[in-house]
């Protein structure tokens, strides 16, 4: 029988928060790696999707500092392949939401080149700010 891994109360709170926002039972992840194997963005990420899941399972808030949560394109490849039925894109979104709620600017719209501001569709700017503003 496998011993239960005990994590600190603070880490437990973080796991509970991500679980609540994402609606996923993150502890079900058995680290099979299927998500990482099929992710089209994994070569750009500093953490693989399965590493992201493991850090959340362990309640490690440092996952919020990773670029991987922003590089996830919500393509759902991992979602349809996960043998545990987990929606990792929702977990990545939950991690972004937690960062966004800290209300710390990640980028400054004032530093955008004026040409880009005039050229880019507004919906792309809003989507970009949503992902890149914390
Ligand atoms: S595919 Fe599912 S069970 Fe496997 S590592 Fe990824 S999230 Fe965990
Ligand atoms: S939803 Fe995100 S983590 Fe999953 S395969 Fe797509 S880019 Fe990778």
């Amino acid at each position: 029988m496998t011993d239960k891994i005990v994590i600190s109360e603070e880490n437990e709170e973080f796991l509970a928060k991500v679980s609540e926002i994402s609606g996923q039972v993150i502890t079900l992840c058995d680290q099979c790696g299927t998500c990482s194997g099929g992710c089209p963005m994994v070569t750009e990420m500093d953490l693989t999707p399965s590493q992201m899941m493991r850090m959340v399972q362990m309640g490690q808030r440092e996952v919020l500092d990773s670029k991987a949560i922003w590089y996830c394109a919500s393509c759902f490849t991992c979602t349809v392949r996960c043998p545990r039925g987990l929606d990792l894109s929702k977990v990545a979104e939950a991690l972004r939401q937690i960062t966004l709620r800290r209300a710390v600017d990640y980028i400054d719209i004032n530093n955008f080149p004026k040409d880009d501001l005039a050229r880019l569709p507004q919906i792309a700017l809003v989507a970009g700010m949503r992902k890149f503003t914390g």
Side-chain angles (χ1 to χ4, degrees), residues 85-101:
L86 293 166
D87 189 339
L88 205 149
S89 65
K90 284 187 178 166
V91 175
E93 174 65 12
L95 294 169
R96 291 194 293 268
Q97 287 297 323
I98 290 169
T99 304
L100 291 166
R101 290 173 193 182

Side-chain angles (χ1 to χ4, degrees), residues 29 31 33-42 45 47-55 68 72 78 88 91:
C29 170
Q31 288 290 291
T34 304
C35 50
S36 302
C39 175
M41 298 302 290
V42 73
M45 293 174 167
L47 291 173
T48 65
S50 52
Q51 286 174 327
M52 197 191 313
M53 289 297 275
R54 187 58 175 160
M55 287 185 77
C72 169
C78 55
L88 205 149
V91 175

Side-chain angles (χ1 to χ4, degrees), residues 2 13 20 30 36 38 40 44 60 69 86-87 92 96 98-99 104 112 114 116 120 127:
T2 309
E13 275 175 25
E20 183 186 356
D30 63 3
S36 302
E44 308 297 325
Q60 295 173 334
I69 66 174
L86 293 166
D87 189 339
R96 291 194 293 268
I98 290 169
T99 304
V104 177
F112 262 61
K114 288 214 169 7
D116 285 348
L120 290 170

